[in-house]
Every structure is written in C-alpha cells, then in structure tokens.
Amino acid sequence: PPPPWALQEGLTQVGTMSPAIALAFLPLVVTLLVRYRHYFRLLVGTVLLRSLRDCLSGLRIEERAFSYVLTHALPGDPGHILTTLDHWSSHCEYLSHMGPVKGQILMRLVEEKAPACVLELGTYCGYSTLLIAQALPPGGRLLTVERDPRTAAVAEKLIRLAGFDEHMVELIVGSSEEVIPCLRTQYQLSRTDLVLLIHGPRCYLRDLQLLEAHALLPAGGTVLADHVLFPGAPRFLQYAKSCGRYRCRLYHTGLPDFPAIKDGIAQLTYAGPG
C-alpha cells in the first residue's frame, strides 16, 4: 500500500485541482445560461414555482387564474375576460395559454372559414374556447374536449361567465381518444368544419388519424395545431406533408410572454380521403 504521505499528497492535489476544473467550466456554464435563459425562466416558472404555489395554495394555476378573473373581469364580456387572463399571465403567473398573438390568428381563421361546427381538443382553462366562440357565425356550434375533470370544471365556469350557453359551447369531459369515436352517435356531430388541436403534440397524429377514420373531416375542412415547433410535433407534421391529403401552412410565432422561444401554428386543409 502507498505510504500515508503519498495519500495525503494525492488528496491535496485533488482538492487543489477541483476549483481549477470548476473555473475551467465556468465560461461554458455562463454561456449556456445566457443562451438558454428564456428556457430556464420558462422551466422555473412552469415547473418549480407553479408546483410550490400549488402546494401552498391548494389550488391549481387555472383555479387561481379564475379567481383573479372573478374579481377583475366583466361578466358577459369575453374580450375583457381574455384580456384579464393575458394580464394575469404576464404579471402574476405564466398560464401556458394560447395568448393574444396566436389568438388573433385563430380568430381570423374562424371568421374567414365561418364554420358551422368547431371541434376543440384541449379546453384547458377555456382561453382558446372563448376566442373561437367569439368568432363563430350565427348558429355556429363549438364542442370542446378536456380530459381532466378539475380543469374542465374551471373552464366550464369561465365559458358560462363569458355568456356562452350549452347550446353554443358544449364541454365534454374525457380523453380525445375515447371521445372522437363517439362524436357521431353520442353528440350528433356528423362533420366538423374546423378542428383545433391544442391538447398535447404527442396526441396530434393519433387524433388526426382518428378523425379521418371516423369520416369527421369534410373535404375543405381545416385543422389547426398549436405548439408544433415547441415542444414540437414532428411526426404529425411529417404525416400531414407526406400523406397527400392536406395542404399545409405554418404560422411562425413565439410563446406568450416568451417571444424569444420560437413556436408555430400549423394550418392543414383537408383535400379528402383520396
């Protein structure tokens, strides 16, 4: 075995080398933090701080946001409710909602297409639901699907607070995978002129193929998909571009309150089963 003095010398060298190694990596760490600071802020806000606030308040973020809306927004005024949610997200807690920039794209397309029936997969807090409902033509109908009952309860209250009744906006609680096959028989939906996918990019391709399989997309129908660049839906985009049944357009945007994080909305126009 080595003599004690040799062990002591080795430990001394390790102790003196560690700070040197740390200093060598410091510029790299600083560079990464500066380059990806927007993602770091997003991670802290949406995961760490949100989890802490959930534990301390006993409420989820959408429930806290709704409480804010109740005390700051005008009932029956969907535009003011949306502005209030935007203010909450910018000044209180990041809500992970669609936001005003993407919202303008969505409303413009709904007004342009004038769909008789819209299907929204992913109600969340009800933000995009209000955007669609505002822009629907007279007699238009919106079916919105939310898998989480607690989140759906908040969205339901927000939708009714904005002044939209069950005949115009119907909220369905359940997973999109289970709801889509039942739309024709259980909800009397024979076709949907416009679909908004906003529930989770990993589900987009599966649900698009379900809509095709159950003949719910008419020729000329529109499918909008949010978050196709961040966190991203590459398999969905690849399928839409390569299957030959869709014309594709991509709207480049940023995340609400994080414009440096690039995202986008995909607009697909269905040409028919082919």
Side-chain angles (χ1 to χ4, degrees):
W5 60 267
L7 291 174
Q8 182 63 39
E9 184 177 345
L11 290 173
T12 303
Q13 289 178 349
V14 171
T16 55
M17 296 248 332
S18 295
I21 294 172
L23 285 173
F25 279 98
L26 186 60
L28 175 62
V29 172
V30 171
T31 300
L32 290 174
L33 285 175
V34 170
R35 178 174 297 179
Y36 298 105
R37 63 190 182 279
H38 307 290
Y39 298 90
F40 182 72
R41 283 180 52 228
L42 181 64
L43 174 67
V44 170
T46 59
V47 178
L48 302 179
L49 292 179
R50 183 177 297 180
S51 298
L52 179 61
R53 288 172 175 139
D54 288 353
C55 291
L56 293 176
S57 68
L59 300 172
R60 294 182 180 178
I61 185 171
E62 58 269 20
E63 294 169 330
R64 296 192 294 274
F66 181 70
S67 297
Y68 184 84
V69 166
L70 280 178
T71 56
H72 292 81
L74 298 174
D77 187 339
H80 194 258
I81 290 173
L82 290 167
T83 302
T84 304
L85 286 171
D86 289 330
H87 186 273
W88 161 269
S89 183
S90 298
H91 296 86
C92 301
E93 298 180 54
Y94 180 63
L95 192 55
S96 304
H97 64 319
M98 178 172 270
V101 175
K102 292 180 180 180
Q104 286 300 315
I105 296 172
L106 174 61
M107 285 188 66
R108 178 168 51 81
L109 287 171
V110 174
E111 291 169 353
E112 177 187 309
K113 303 295 180 181
C117 188
V118 178
L119 175 65
E120 178 186 39
L121 301 181
T123 315
Y124 185 42
C125 65
Y127 184 95
S128 54
T129 312
L130 296 192
L131 287 168
I132 297 169
Q134 278 192 117
L136 279 177
R141 180 188 181 203
L142 168 59
L143 292 178
T144 180
V145 181
E146 173 56 47
R147 69 175 302 144
D148 185 87
R150 188 168 169 182
T151 302
V154 175
E156 180 88 43
K157 289 186 284 188
L158 190 83
I159 293 164
R160 305 311 166 213
L161 182 70
F164 301 112
D165 61 23
E166 294 86 349
H167 299 290
M168 184 175 183
V169 181
E170 182 176 357
L171 195 155
I172 304 167
V173 181
S175 70
S176 55
E177 187 178 16
E178 296 172 348
V179 170
I180 290 172
C182 302
L183 287 172
R184 190 181 300 275
T185 56
Q186 194 168 337
Y187 298 97
Q188 293 75 53
L189 180 68
S190 59
R191 52 177 266 176
T192 176
D193 304 302
L194 190 147
V195 179
L196 175 63
L197 305 177
I198 198 170
H199 54 323
R202 287 180 297 178
C203 303
Y204 289 178
L205 178 56
R206 179 200 70 197
D207 289 346
L208 181 65
Q209 292 174 333
L210 274 174
L211 290 166
E212 292 173 354
H214 290 275
L216 291 168
L217 291 176
T222 301
V223 178
L224 299 176
D226 195 10
H227 299 305
V228 294
L229 298 183
F230 183 85
R235 291 177 61 245
F236 169 81
L237 290 177
Q238 181 182 14
Y239 173 82
K241 292 175 181 177
S242 63
C243 72
R245 292 189 289 276
Y246 296 95
R247 296 196 313 273
C248 302
R249 179 178 179 181
L250 185 62
Y251 298 90
H252 290 272
T253 67
L255 287 187
D257 305 318
F258 294 90
I261 299 179
K262 301 307 177 186
D263 194 12
I265 295 178
Q267 177 187 349
L268 314 183
T269 303
Y270 187 53

